Amino acid sequence: MSSTPVLFCADPLNPRAVDGHFAPEARQVRASGGTVALIDHDALLAGDAERAVARVPRGLGAAWYRGWMIPTDGYAALDLALAARDARLLVPPEHYRAAHQLPGWYGTFAAVTPASGWLPTAPGVVPEAAELARVARALPAGPGIVKDYVKSRKHEWDEACFVPELTDVAGLRRVVARLVELQEEFLAGGVVVRAFERFVGEEARVWWLDGEPRLLTPHPDSDAHAMVTPDLDQLRGPVRDLGVRFVTTDVARRDDGVWRVVEVGDAQVSDLHRATAPEEFAALLTDAPPSTSGNEA
Ligand SMILES: Nc1ncnc2c1ncn2[C@@H]1O[C@H](COP(=O)(O)OP(=O)(O)OP(=O)(O)O)[C@@H](O)[C@H]1O
Ligand SMILES: [Mg+2]
C-alpha cells in the first residue's frame, strides 16, 4: 500500500521547492517513499485557491497538508480547488476548524483546559464593553488572558494578552482593543477570554494520530533540556471525542500538580521544536493509513 501524499507549502521564491521551514520534513517523506506535492500558500491567502493548487498533480487523491497555518475559509477553498483536480484533503475542512479554532475544541476539552468564553468579531472591530462583561461574568473572577480564536499576542503580554482582573471591564476591554489592533486583518474568528491558571515548568506538545499519542516534543518556545513528561490519561477521551485524525495538545503542569491543556491544534499546521528529528515527524504522516474505519472510505 503506498502512503498518503503530503501537500507542502512551496518556497515563495522558488515555486518548485518546498518552503525551507518544512524542507527537512519533506525530505524525510520522500526518503521513505512518500509523495510530496506543492501548494502556493501566498496565492491561497490572497484568495486564489485555483492558482494555489496549479502544481498539484491531477488524481492525487486524499492528501495530508503540512505547512503554515491557513484561515478556516482558505482551508475550505483549498479543499474545493483540489476536488477540481481529483484530489482532496485527508482532514476535511470541518475537522480542521474543530482542531484549529478554540471554539471548535473547547467543549470537548472543557474539563482539562482553563475556563473560556468567546465573541465572534471581524478584524479591526473591538467588541462592546457590555458583550465583554457578559463573557467575563461566566468565568471565575481574577486574572485572565485574551487571544483570538487561534493565536495570542503573548509577546505583548502586558498590553495585549494578560488581564489582571476580569471583573474590571474597562481594563479587559483595553487589552482586547490592543489585541484587535495588533492582529490587524489577521484576527482569526473573534476574541477569546480565558481564566488565568498558574503553570510551572515548560510546556510539552503531544502529537496525536488516530487517537494515540505518537510523539512528545517540547513546545517550540520551550527549552528542550527542561522537557517534561505529562500524564496523558485524562486526554485520551477528549482527543478521541474530538475525532480529528492528527492533532496536537500543548500541556503544562498547574501549580497544584494537575496537567492542563493550554491549547489544541490541527497538527498539520503545528510547528515542530527545532530539536525534534524531522524523520520522527515524517514517519507519522507516511505510516498513517489513508483512512480509518468509521472515516470515509
Ligand atoms: N489560561 C491561561 N493561563 C495561564 N497562562 C496562559 C493561559 N493561556 C495561555 N497562557 C500562556 O500564554 C502562552 C500563549 O498562549 P497560547 O498558547 O494560547 O497562544 P498562542 O499564541 O497560540 O501560542 P503558540 O501558538 O505559540 O503556542 C501559553 O504558552 C501560556 O504560557
Ligand atoms: Mg500555544
Side-chain angles (χ1 to χ4, degrees):
M1 187 181 64
S2 64
S3 67
T4 306
V6 187
L7 290 166
F8 280 93
C9 292
D11 180 345
L13 302 176
N14 180 7
R16 290 165 198 274
V18 175
D19 187 302
H21 189 75
F22 300 97
E25 298 170 17
R27 217 171 288 131
Q28 294 301 328
V29 169
R30 286 200 182 102
S32 55
T35 301
V36 167
L38 295 171
I39 68 147
D40 181 339
H41 187 265
D42 289 347
L44 184 62
L45 266 59
D48 193 346
E50 212 176 305
R51 187 157 60 85
V53 301
R55 286 175 184 274
V56 175
R58 286 183 189 279
L60 187 71
W64 292 115
Y65 168 69
R66 178 62 182 160
W68 304 114
M69 288 183 178
I70 303 175
T72 52
D73 55 349
Y75 190 92
L78 175 62
D79 196 44
L80 207 61
L82 287 170
R85 304 180 79 82
D86 232 349
R88 69 182 170 85
L89 295 163
L90 195 62
V91 176
E94 56 285 7
H95 284 195
Y96 178 74
R97 177 189 293 268
H100 185 57
Q101 296 194 333
L102 183 140
W105 56 260
Y106 178 73
T108 313
F109 285 85
V112 293
T113 197
S116 307
W118 55 86
L119 286 169
T121 189
V125 178
V126 182
E128 298 295 334
E131 292 181 284
L132 287 167
R134 181 170 51 75
V135 172
R137 263 201 306 276
L139 302 176
I145 71 111
V146 298
K147 56 185 292 186
D148 72 16
Y149 283 9
V150 176
K151 290 297 273 187
S152 70
R153 299 295 307 198
K154 63 187 174 190
H155 300 298
E156 290 97 359
W157 184 255
D158 288 317
E159 49 174 318
C161 191
F162 183 69
V163 180
E165 177 51 64
L166 288 174
T167 56
D168 169 16
V169 177
L172 168 61
R173 190 160 190 264
R174 197 161 50 238
V175 179
V176 167
R178 187 67 178 136
L179 166 76
V180 168
E181 183 185 357
L182 289 169
Q183 288 298 72
E184 301 181 326
E185 72 266 36
F186 305 107
L187 184 93
V191 171
V192 168
V193 185
R194 315 196 71 186
F196 180 84
E197 297 187 2
R198 265 168 226 295
F199 299 127
V200 290
E202 296 285 3
E203 235 176 89
R205 179 160 283 181
V206 189
W207 303 73
W208 304 78
L209 180 67
D210 294 330
E212 290 296 328
R214 294 286 303 275
L215 184 64
L216 177 66
T217 68
H219 180 277
D221 299 339
S222 287
D223 176 3
H225 299 294
M227 177 70 181
V228 292
T229 306
D231 176 3
L232 302 179
D233 286 349
Q234 305 304 310
L235 303 190
R236 288 176 184 275
V239 168
R240 291 200 180 142
D241 290 346
L242 190 66
V244 182
R245 288 197 63 185
F246 193 31
V247 297
T248 50
T249 54
D250 291 343
V251 292
R253 205 159 60 84
R254 201 167 54 191
D255 61 357
D256 62 357
V258 176
W259 287 96
R260 302 288 278 166
V261 171
V262 181
E263 63 174 337
V264 176
D266 182 297
Q268 299 178 112
V269 299
S270 292
D271 208 5
L272 203 57
H273 190 280
R274 63 200 171 281
T276 308
E279 58 268 32
E280 278 193 66
F281 173 81
L284 295 184
L285 298 180
T286 53
D287 295 351
S291 69
T292 54
S293 53
N295 247 348
E296 57 262 68

